[in-house]
Amino acid sequence: KSAGVKGIHKVPAGRFAKHVERVGVDAVTIVGFECGGHPGMDDVTSLILVPLAAQAVRIPVVAAGGFGDARGFVAALSLGAEAVLMGTRFMATEECPAHPNFKRWLLDLTERDTVILERSIRNAGRFIRNKAAETVLKMEEEGATLEELLPHISGLKSRKVLTEGDLDAGVVSCGEVIGLIKDIKPVKEVIEDIIQGARDICERLHLQSLSTAPIRK
């Protein structure tokens, strides 16, 4: 803080948002069950978590998990968030350094092609359902220990998927919003589309509200 750095802490529940506000962070990101990566152990969606966090703290709330286009952005604002954090959407961009095989693979995935792993070690995370993920899931069902799981959830194996395009080499985080992503664009175009789309949505909703408003004489 003395250097002017802003701290934004990511949490999976409103009770944690209140704690990080007390210890002095500048903003908090709340991640719903839809997110890629680690959504916590409670399995609560962004639609519930974002307003809970927004009403629990005074610092700005950033919504994450399930947001990837203008519709989600406007929804997040309506739920009380000040901004959105998007990870999966930016994996499918021209600037993303991932292997072309991986990015093409993303476009073929649907919202049903992710799976929650690492629940048995209380580190639940959402990953793409590939052979590596299926192996980890089966090991967990059979009671594998952390030590037994580590070689299969290693970040080094995940990196092989991303950098070499070997799609079954390891587990890779991905959100359910992948079902909405059907193109690979420059980052600038993704952001501009979201901003313009949000303006169009707000204008449409405003006009609709005016057209249905009761007329008072």
Side-chain angles (χ1 to χ4, degrees):
K1 281 184 174 290
S2 62
V5 175
K6 299 295 184 184
I8 305 176
H9 194 77
K10 186 164 67 173
V11 300
R15 61 187 182 277
F16 302 129
K18 290 193 286 187
H19 174 72
V20 298
E21 180 182 47
R22 285 197 299 271
V23 300
V25 301
D26 299 288
V28 62
T29 297
I30 188 86
V31 291
F33 184 58
E34 306 94 327
C35 78
H38 299 282
M41 297 292 290
D42 295 335
D43 299 358
V44 182
T45 68
S46 298
L47 191 64
I48 306 302
L49 286 181
V50 175
L52 283 175
Q55 69 188 29
V57 299
R58 295 181 299 276
I59 56 177
V61 171
V62 180
F67 303 102
D69 60 18
R71 295 167 295 184
F73 177 46
V74 173
L77 297 180
S78 73
L79 293 171
E82 300 285 342
V84 292
L85 182 153
M86 300 186 304
T88 300
R89 169 65 263 196
F90 288 115
M91 291 199 299
T93 56
E94 292 181 4
E95 290 88 342
C96 175
H99 194 279
N101 287 352
F102 175 75
K103 290 197 274 189
R104 284 193 294 268
W105 185 37
L106 291 178
L107 301 186
D108 292 331
L109 299 177
T110 75
E111 68 282 1
R112 302 183 304 278
D113 290 322
T114 66
V115 62
I116 295 292
L117 304 176
E118 302 180 28
R119 192 183 290 279
S120 65
I121 56 174
R122 296 195 60 78
N123 191 41
R126 186 176 297 282
F127 300 88
I128 297 174
R129 188 184 287 272
N130 60 0
K131 289 182 180 178
E134 294 286 1
T135 296
V136 173
L137 191 62
K138 187 172 187 296
M139 290 177 67
E140 290 192 81
E141 291 171 351
E142 296 173 349
T145 65
L146 171 60
E147 288 71 23
E148 291 170 330
L149 290 171
L150 280 176
H152 299 274
I153 59 177
S154 162
L156 293 176
K157 289 194 172 183
S158 301
R159 181 180 297 177
K160 193 172 182 180
V161 179
L162 297 170
T163 61
E164 299 180 22
D166 184 350
L167 304 181
D168 287 309
V171 297
V172 182
S173 296
C174 182
E176 290 180 318
V177 74
I178 193 62
L180 298 177
I181 300 170
K182 298 304 175 188
D183 50 29
I184 297 172
K185 298 179 179 180
V187 168
K188 183 175 185 291
E189 188 174 333
V190 170
I191 295 174
E192 288 177 345
D193 286 351
I194 290 174
I195 293 172
Q196 185 56 53
R199 287 173 175 155
D200 293 343
I201 291 169
C202 291
E203 182 179 355
R204 172 173 56 83
L205 294 176
H206 177 63
L207 290 175
Q208 285 181 351
S209 66
L210 288 179
S211 65
T212 57
I215 299 176
R216 292 185 174 87
K217 294 182 180 181

